[in-house]
Amino acid sequence: MVVATLERMAAGGIHDQLGGGFHRYSTDARWLAPHFEKMLYDNALLAIAYLEAFQTTGREDFAAVARETLDYMARDLAAPGGGFFSATDADSDGEEGAYFVWTAGEIDAALGLEQGALVRTFYGVTVEGNAGKGRNVLWRPATLEAASSAAGVEPAAMESAVVAARPLLLAARAKRVPPSTDHNVLVDWNALTVSAFARGAAVLGDAHYRDVAAAGATFLLEHG
């Protein structure tokens, strides 16, 4: 049950497929349609869950989700001095989810028609849109093998296209108005986050995560 749930969450729109981390909750049974706010404590606990799933199963995809979640917190929620901010908002530019959703045309404009077609298939992007008005929440409705078959390419070609597309899509997304950040720094949420980074360092053997955990712990001792 746990493995199946973590698989579907990682593949769903509740998971930021480009920037890592998880939105606050899903509004449907498929984990597709999120409330776009991102909370520090959610991501700290989910990083730990995916680390433990990796330890239990040995599956590298779970380790990858844990890394992306930790990297998201270190990048987007880092506060001065080693602590962490509480959240990023759901809204940007006056509309919920505007920073995160894509039209088929926006994908093609960022990637070109050939690569765009592969990436749209992989992330379930349609002209009609799964979020209304032609807008799409990126998710992975099918396995790599199934998406590749639907696109008429080998899985390696599909994977290569998706990996190459990620920085291009992130660069395009970065030009949008970003969600605002809740600059509250809470002791309990920061403690969860320090624990997540400490576990990440131990499980993944990553010295950077150890340094983030140490800086966060020092911050709490000095300011908590």
Side-chain angles (χ1 to χ4, degrees), residues 14-38:
I14 191 173
H15 181 206
D16 182 351
Q17 300 291 333
L18 297 179
F22 288 82
H23 299 292
R24 189 172 187 182
Y25 55 81
S26 177
T27 63
D28 69 329
R30 296 183 295 169
W31 302 103
L32 166 60
H35 174 58
F36 289 93
E37 189 175 17
K38 286 182 175 181

Side-chain angles (χ1 to χ4, degrees), residues 92-126:
S92 59
D93 205 20
E95 185 175 358
E96 182 176 348
Y99 186 73
F100 299 101
V101 296
W102 296 81
T103 65
E106 287 171 335
I107 297 286
D108 289 344
L111 304 177
L113 295 179
E114 183 176 352
Q115 186 182 17
L118 296 179
V119 171
R120 285 191 282 106
T121 298
F122 183 80
Y123 285 127
V125 173
T126 64

Side-chain angles (χ1 to χ4, degrees), residues 84-87 180-185:
F84 294 89
F85 296 131
S86 294
S180 60
T181 300
D182 180 345
H183 289 97
N184 285 308
V185 178

